[in-house]
Amino acid sequence: MSAELQNHLADEVAIQITNMNKWYGDFHVLRDINLTVQRGERIVIAGPSGSGKSTMIRCINRLEEHQKGQIVVDGTELSSDLKNIDKIRREVGMCFQHFNLFPHLTILENCTLAPMWVRKTPKKEAEELAMHFLEKVKIPDQANKYPGMLSGGQQQRVAIARSLCMQPRIMLFDEPTSALDPEMIKEVLDTMVTLADEGMTMLCVTHEMGFARQVADRVIFMDQGQIVEQNEPEEFFNNPKSDRTKLFLSQIL
Ligand code: ADP
Ligand code: MG
């Protein structure tokens, strides 16, 4: 293979996880995880509580450390090298169940903080960028309020906008709608659909199977620290292969 072609192929791969294992003390939480995510691919990760979904997502930006195997994000391998960790965190945005906005900062300040302090973006430019993404998540009118004045759904959309202000190439979502009242789930999912439509590389842990059907290129099913099965949504839902997947689907659908 020519070097040029190899580079091209490497650029098409956003995340490459190879034989990755993780332990919490003696507890073997992730077992031989292998996963290749293409650039622009949208992946939904499903599975029972405790199966290791959050741990896997958190290993990808080194909120948790893996002990064996390899994780390569955007061509950079995650090791104990702090430079690499910094580089990867700058390219990978993350959105959690609990939005963790800074309560004493306005919505706008929540969004400009990291670009100004981490990326050294000038204030005016950071504010323009923040307003751009607050418009994208459809709450520019809330910019000068404090998080406590917003609904849960609005706060989660701010959290997404805040991540986008760092202009990540990959977004990780860990149950972003699980803490929301039902009427607010749709507005957050709509925001995620917009991102997906724009070609963002996304890994989403979610129980929203309607979202999975609508946007996922691939659904990954985890159980007991392993990837048990993966398929495109239609096949995954209509024709699950393993008994564990069938049992899981029968419980949630
Ligand atoms: P999921 O997100 O699929 O519910 P998690 O990745 O949160 O699963 O957890 C996987 C397993 O690891 C669970 O058994 C959980 O109790 C355990 N676990 C999670 N975090 C820690 C931790 N910091 N220390 C020890 N065990 C943990
Ligand atoms: Mg979890």
Side-chain angles (χ1 to χ4, degrees), residues 53-55 174-175 205:
K53 306 181 297 297
S54 294
T55 304
D174 192 357
E175 301 201 29
V205 177

Side-chain angles (χ1 to χ4, degrees), residues 18-171:
T18 314
N19 294 329
M20 191 262 281
N21 285 263
K22 171 170 181 60
W23 287 261
Y24 287 121
D26 290 340
F27 176 53
H28 196 172
V29 58
L30 294 176
R31 297 162 180 264
D32 292 322
I33 301 288
N34 288 288
L35 179 65
T36 304
V37 181
Q38 302 296 324
R39 193 162 302 292
E41 204 177 3
R42 290 140 312 187
I43 291 185
V44 161
I45 301 166
S49 176
S51 56
K53 306 181 297 297
S54 294
T55 304
M56 185 172 84
I57 286 275
R58 293 165 64 84
C59 283
I60 294 173
N61 65 355
R62 198 67 166 197
L63 292 176
E64 294 288 351
E65 195 177 326
H66 63 285
Q67 280 83 37
K68 199 171 149 223
Q70 208 186 28
I71 303 177
V72 179
V73 181
D74 255 341
T76 303
E77 184 178 354
L78 268 179
S79 59
S80 46
D81 188 335
L82 293 175
K83 262 197 256 128
N84 285 356
I85 295 173
D86 264 7
K87 178 162 183 278
I88 287 170
R89 289 212 182 129
R90 257 181 270 139
E91 302 192 3
V92 180
M94 179 138 187
C95 183
F96 302 91
Q97 180 174 355
H98 300 288
F99 349 108
N100 303 322
L101 298 174
F102 296 108
H104 59 290
L105 296 181
T106 65
I107 300 309
L108 188 67
E109 288 164 346
N110 264 278
C111 291
T112 56
L113 191 68
M116 283 171 61
W117 293 100
V118 180
R119 282 206 194 268
K120 312 291 179 208
T121 307
K123 184 172 181 200
K124 188 162 177 294
E125 204 180 305
E127 286 181 350
E128 282 167 10
L129 197 64
M131 288 311 297
H132 169 77
F133 287 114
L134 287 171
E135 269 158 38
K136 187 182 285 290
V137 303
K138 301 198 167 69
I139 31 177
D141 46 322
Q142 310 291 328
N144 295 316
K145 294 190 181 165
Y146 288 86
M149 302 158 87
L150 272 57
S151 72
Q154 289 175 321
Q155 290 190 53
Q156 189 60 295
R157 285 185 284 150
V158 172
I160 294 172
R162 180 177 62 173
S163 292
L164 294 175
C165 284
M166 290 296 279
Q167 299 183 286
R169 300 187 78 184
I170 300 168
M171 280 291 292

